[in-house]
């Protein structure tokens, strides 16, 4: 069959470089250097690198000189109080905003200022905080939209009699994968529903399932647990951990401190557009500056 | 793949003020060419002056009509495609009234109402009637806009701009063919010929004067035959019209300017005006700070509708003819004025109107007459693509 | 559904025709004319549905693209020596393709800068463009100019004459064996030759409309169509899932415009003569109304809307007024019509054209307020090439036996 293979690669058997840790739940290496200098050969283990990122809107600086690296196969949390610049950083990485300064690298290639579609094609996909479901389309259609390399996305192939057969065959394959993914997220019973009829929590699940259908290497999750009840929250977190085990890398922007602390092995704290602290949850928890930032300055 | 990537790169290179640069370049080139033609004799000054003046007057009308459109576009967030037909309705209402009043006794009321009977109405011969007609046109425009808002747009307050746009297309059709049903589809002449005010040269003497409809400058025995002539200088030979404007055009210019001044005062000096400006900038914020938005919306329709109706009346006064589609045919010009000036900006609508009027009339210097309208529309497309905010866009209303 | 609606319309027209005292020929001709209208509108509404219903591109320049397609085909096919208008005398096939390409090219040129505009700005741009096209057609420079040594031109306000598409009727009957017999049958029943030829052309139009439909259903029920729907719903989502939305929009715009050009030629241009008045902006708005009635986003709805609009709102009132006149002279003007109910009725009948348009406007407002999704709306057609709910159905690439795992309950769904 022509085109990119659309089955997920078995990640566990990919070749690893020396700096990469195995994909189990072992703690990662200690906090990374944030001097902002590009390190040679770092891309082997760091699919996402942000260097010196800045973004101003008019006169307001939302993000100032932010640098960090995400390790492969990790679950990193990006937290900070309101207005810290998390969303802006997120959206710069995802291509919604063009950074005013700085560079972003994905798998060693620069993606600074690229369009969202180009970034997604490279394997970096994002979810939306307020789940943006395509409401007049069913859950199935939403899911079928996501995979890349679809033959039928060429007009001619979808229309011409002989070629359409090939498209239909691929559709059938995709359909099977879609059902599997829906079952994984336990929303297969909603398959024929219009996405506009789903509840908030169900939409979040669909959002994530759909993002995963693009067969990404790394997923940016924009507050996936916002407004979600505890049972569902647990379910979502379980899925994320399970998927980590299969080799996906996650960067999670969240408000809920506990979630981040209990699940992420790496935490980046932002405050007023800058990185305040970075490291393992235990270290962060005791970091005074972080506590101050969240509670407001109590004493100098 | 690749289309988006290439365009991103390309766009970031070309980004910046290049659009303004190109436009300025074009304007400068045209200006230079204009001077060249003037100096070289290909273009006569009287022609240039008359074309310029005509564009100015027409542009003032576009601007006046555009104020209402600009306000509703920004406050209610939709492009009102029925605006042109509101112009038409206002004009018909005003002129029917003028005919009935001005032609009393000369023909049946019904016939007069339908613009028959040919009473001789001009701004000189029936000034009071014309004024009443204009006021009626304004009142009708306001009443119509209010009624439409109540019936069509208010039930759709929460709808998106496109749905409202489509609904306004329906309203446009309804209004236009209501007029056609009542008045018929003919183009009718409406006003009586009227004197012209201008700069003339009479046998070597240049002066400002008034010339009657039947008179020709070259056939006059002397300045005494003119109702009014004030010499300002001597030089040149022979008699010719240097630049002139019909009194109807003068009336249009004066009325439009006066009304625009009035709107400016309304927006700057009154509480209502401040509220309207606030709403144009940020509706949710306005609601939160306690400005009664439904009331402001109603006021917008009233003010906008009144100006639109009067504009329609004045346009017909200046042109001398009207038909059931005349407002619809103007719609694109009015949109051009509003978008060029920046949606939501009253001064923008006025400035945009004048510019579009000038483009439309002065295009004839470079383009064949069949294409001059296309020039104005091309400007519209260019503005939307290059700088949709317009000249004053992004700035607060007025 | 389509057949049923058309059948209903036919019945209505037959009834009214008989009441008006038509003979067989008259009735056939009436049905033919109504069907031609329906097919023409059907094609245009389908094309607009591709732009607006599927992809959310608010194109109110339909008339302009129709004009470009028709005029290009006309100029390419018109004989060099005929006036008004001047052509190149190329074979019909070349001319038709040329017309579609011209419309598509204009579509691409428009779309490149304009597609990133928000919907209402795109609307204004397309309307302005449509008017520029009309003015251009009428203009002196384009009325007559030299291209590659030959004089070509639009004929300006006088229009252009070219080989008429509806000559297909007579051509087919003369070429196909047994064609002559059809004429005889017709004569026996009282249907004149021109009407028969017209009916044959009507079938060609129906075939075209059907071809449009099949094509667009395939486009819509496919991964391509899925992306289009996604673009309409939320372009950022489509983009964030890796789809190059610009490419899709460009392709769709070009294809839709080509279809509009073809429909313009086959329908509005069927008599072999057009001028600038043939393509006024009102046409675009009528196509829009038809689309909204039928339901934007649905191909079947597009055909339905085209049929209902053209027959009920457009053709029917015209037909009634032309064939039913009250006794005596109708009041000359509105004021005279106020004399009484009878007078008003007569006046209304005479001016039914204006009333019809008022009605169209009112219907549009009503729909936008109460049922913006029209008759069928967005949800009736599945954007996939196969039945997605039928997870165990054939087409398994590995040829394995279907799973016996439990299946979710089927929801009722209108398929293709």
């Amino acid at each position: 069959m022509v085109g990119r293979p659309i089955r997920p690669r078995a990640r566990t058997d990919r070749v690893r470089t020396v700096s990469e840790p195995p994909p189990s739940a072992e703690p990662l290496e200690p906090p990374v250097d944030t001097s902002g200098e590009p390190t040679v050969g770092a891309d082997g283990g760091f699919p996402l690198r942000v260097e010196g990122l800045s973004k101003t809107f008019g006169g307001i600086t939302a993000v100032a000189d932010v640098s960090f690296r995400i390790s492969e196969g990790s679950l990193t949390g990006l937290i900070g109080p309101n207005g810290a610049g998390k969303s802006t950083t997120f959206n710069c990485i995802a291509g919604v905003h063009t950074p005013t300064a700085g560079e972003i690298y994905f798998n060693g290639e620069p993606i600074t200022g690229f369009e969202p579609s180009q970034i997604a094609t490279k394997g970096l996909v994002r979810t939306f905080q307020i789940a943006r479901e395509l409401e007049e389309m069913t859950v199935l259609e939403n899911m079928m939209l996501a995979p890349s390399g679809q033959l039928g996305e060429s007009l001619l192939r979808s229309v011409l009699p002989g070629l359409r057969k090939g498209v239909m065959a691929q559709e059938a394959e995709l359909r099977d994968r879609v059902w599997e993914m829906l079952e994984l997220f336990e929303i297969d019973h909603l398959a024929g529903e219009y996405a506009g009829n789903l509840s908030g929590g169900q939409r979040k699940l669909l959002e994530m399932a759909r993002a995963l259908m693009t067969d990404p290497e790394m997923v940016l999750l924009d507050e996936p647990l916002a407004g979600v009840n505890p049972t569902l929250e647990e379910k979502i977190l379980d899925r994320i951990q399970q998927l980590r085990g299969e080799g996906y890398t996650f960067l999670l922007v969240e408000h809920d401190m506990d979630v981040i602390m209990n699940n992420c092995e790496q935490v980046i704290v932002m405050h007023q557009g800058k990185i305040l602290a970075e490291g393992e949850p235990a270290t962060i928890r005791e970091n005074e500056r972080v506590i101050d930032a969240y509670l407001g300055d109590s004493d100098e | 793949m690749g289309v988006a990537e290439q365009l991103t790169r390309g766009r970031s290179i070309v980004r910046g003020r290049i659009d303004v640069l190109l436009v300025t370049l074009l304007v400068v080139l045209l200006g230079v060419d204009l001077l060249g033609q003037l100096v070289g004799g290909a273009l006569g000054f009287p022609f240039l002056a008359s074309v310029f003046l005509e564009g100015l007057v027409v542009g003032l009308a576009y601007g006046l009509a555009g104020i209402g459109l600009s306000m509703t576009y920004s406050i209610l967030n939709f492009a009102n495609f029925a605006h042109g037909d509101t112009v038409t309705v206002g004009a018909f209402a005003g002129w029917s009234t003028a005919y009935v009043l001005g032609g009393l006794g000369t023909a049946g009321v019904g016939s007069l109402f339908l613009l028959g009977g040919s009473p001789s109405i001009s701004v000189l011969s029936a000034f009071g009637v014309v004024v009443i007609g204009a006021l009626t046109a304004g009142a009708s425009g306001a009443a119509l806009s209010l009624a439409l808002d109540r019936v069509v747009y208010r039930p759709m307050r929460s709808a998106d701009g496109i749905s409202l746009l489509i609904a306004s297309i329906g309203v446009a059709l309804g209004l236009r063919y209501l007029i056609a049903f009542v008045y018929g589809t003919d183009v009718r002449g409406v006003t009586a010929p009227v004197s012209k005010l201008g700069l003339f040269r009479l046998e070597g003497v240049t002066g400002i004067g008034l010339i009657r409809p039947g008179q020709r400058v070259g056939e006059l025995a002397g300045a005494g035959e003119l109702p009014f002539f004030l010499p300002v200088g001597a030089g040149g030979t022979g008699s010719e019209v240097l630049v002139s404007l019909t009194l109807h055009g003068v009336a249009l210019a004066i009325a439009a300017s006066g009304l625009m001044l009035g709107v400016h005062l309304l927006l700057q000096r009154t509480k209502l005006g401040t509220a309207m400006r606030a709403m144009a900038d940020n509706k949710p914020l306005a609601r939160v700070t306690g400005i009664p938005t439904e009331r402001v919306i109603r006021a917008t329709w009233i003010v906008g509708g009144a100006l639109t109706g009067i504009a329609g009346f004045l346009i017909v006064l200046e042109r001398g003819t009207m038909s059931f589609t005349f407002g619809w045919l103007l719609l694109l010009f009015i949109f051009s004025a509003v978008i060029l000036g920046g949606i939501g900006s009253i001064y923008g609508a006025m400035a945009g109107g004048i510019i579009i009027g000038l483009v439309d009339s002065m295009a004839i210097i470079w383009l064949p007459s069949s294409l001059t309208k296309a020039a104005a529309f091309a400007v519209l497309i260019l503005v939307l693509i290059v700088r949709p905010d317009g000249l004053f866009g992004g700035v607060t209303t007025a | 559904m389509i057949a049923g609606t058309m059948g209903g319309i036919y019945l209505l027209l037959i009834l009214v025709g008989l009441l008006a005292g038509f003979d067989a020929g008259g009735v056939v001709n009436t049905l033919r004319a109504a069907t031609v209208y329906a097919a023409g509108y059907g094609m245009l509404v389908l094309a607009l549905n591709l732009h607006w219903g599927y992809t959310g591109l608010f194109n109110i320049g339909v008339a302009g693209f129709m004009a470009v397609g028709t005029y290009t085909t006309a100029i390419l096919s018109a004989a060099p020596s005929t006036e008004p208008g001047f052509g190149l005398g190329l074979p019909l096939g070349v001319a038709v393709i040329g017309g579609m390409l011209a419309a598509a090219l204009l579509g691409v040129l428009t779309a490149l800068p304009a597609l990133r505009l928000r919907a209402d700005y795109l609307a204004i741009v397309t309307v302005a463009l449509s008017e520029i096209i009309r003015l251009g057609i009428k203009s002196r420079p384009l009325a007559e100019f030299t291209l590659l040594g030959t004089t070509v031109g639009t004929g300006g306000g006088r229009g252009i004459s070219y080989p008429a598409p509806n000559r297909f009727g007579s051509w087919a009957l003369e070429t196909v064996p047994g064609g002559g017999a059809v004429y005889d049958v017709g004569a026996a029943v009282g249907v004149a030759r021109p009407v028969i030829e017209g009916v044959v052309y009507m079938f060609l139009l129906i075939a075209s409309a059907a071809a449009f439909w099949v094509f667009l259903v395939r486009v819509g029920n496919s991964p391509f169509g899925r992306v289009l729907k996604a673009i309409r719903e939320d372009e950022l989502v489509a983009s964030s899932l890796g789809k190059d939305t610009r490419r899709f929009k460009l392709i769709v715009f070009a294809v839709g415009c080509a279809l509009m050009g073809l429909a313009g030629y086959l329908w509005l241009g069927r008599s072999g003569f057009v001028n600038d008045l043939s393509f006024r902006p009102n046409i675009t708005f009528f196509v829009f109304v038809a689309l909204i009635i039928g339901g934007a986003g649905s191909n079947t709805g597009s055909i339905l809307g085209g049929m209902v609009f053209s027959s009920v709102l457009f053709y029917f009132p015209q037909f009634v007024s032309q064939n039913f006149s009250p006794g005596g002279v109708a009041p000359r003007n509105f004021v005279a019509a106020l004399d009484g109910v009878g007078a008003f009725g007569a006046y209304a009948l005479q001016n039914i054209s204006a009333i019809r348009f008022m009605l169209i406007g009112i219907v549009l407002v009503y729909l936008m307020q109460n049922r913006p999704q029209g008759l069928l709306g967005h949800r009736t057609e599945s954007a996939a090439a196969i039945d997605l709910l039928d997870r165990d159905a054939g087409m398994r690439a590995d040829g394995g036996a279907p799973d016996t795992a439990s299946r979710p309950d089927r929801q009722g769904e209108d398929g293709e």
Side-chain angles (χ1 to χ4, degrees), chain B residues 73 151-152 170 181-182 328 370, chain C residues 120 140 285 334 347 361 369:
Chain B
Y73 206 154
V151 169
V152 176
F181 185 67
V182 172
W328 169 244
S370 45
Chain C
D120 53 345
R140 294 267 235 91
F285 295 121
F334 182 73
Y347 181 74
Q369 282 188 342

Side-chain angles (χ1 to χ4, degrees), chain A residues 49 103-114 122, chain B residues 9:
Chain A
R49 261 194 304 132
E103 294 292 323
I104 306 171
Y105 298 92
F106 185 68
N107 282 336
E109 292 176 40
I111 57 169
T112 326
F114 276 22
K122 291 196 187 295
Chain B
R9 298 249 176 77

Side-chain angles (χ1 to χ4, degrees), chain A residues 70-77 208 212 216-221 239-245 247-253 264-266:
Chain A
I70 308 295
S71 309
E72 185 167 2
S74 69
L75 173 56
T76 307
M208 206 176 310
L212 289 168
E217 289 178 33
M218 178 167 174
V219 184
L220 304 169
L221 295 166
R239 290 289 160 271
I240 295 178
Q241 294 292 11
Q242 183 184 353
L243 290 162
R244 269 194 62 218
Y248 293 85
T249 309
F250 287 94
L251 173 62
L252 182 61
V253 169
C264 301
E265 62 249 28
Q266 176 91 343

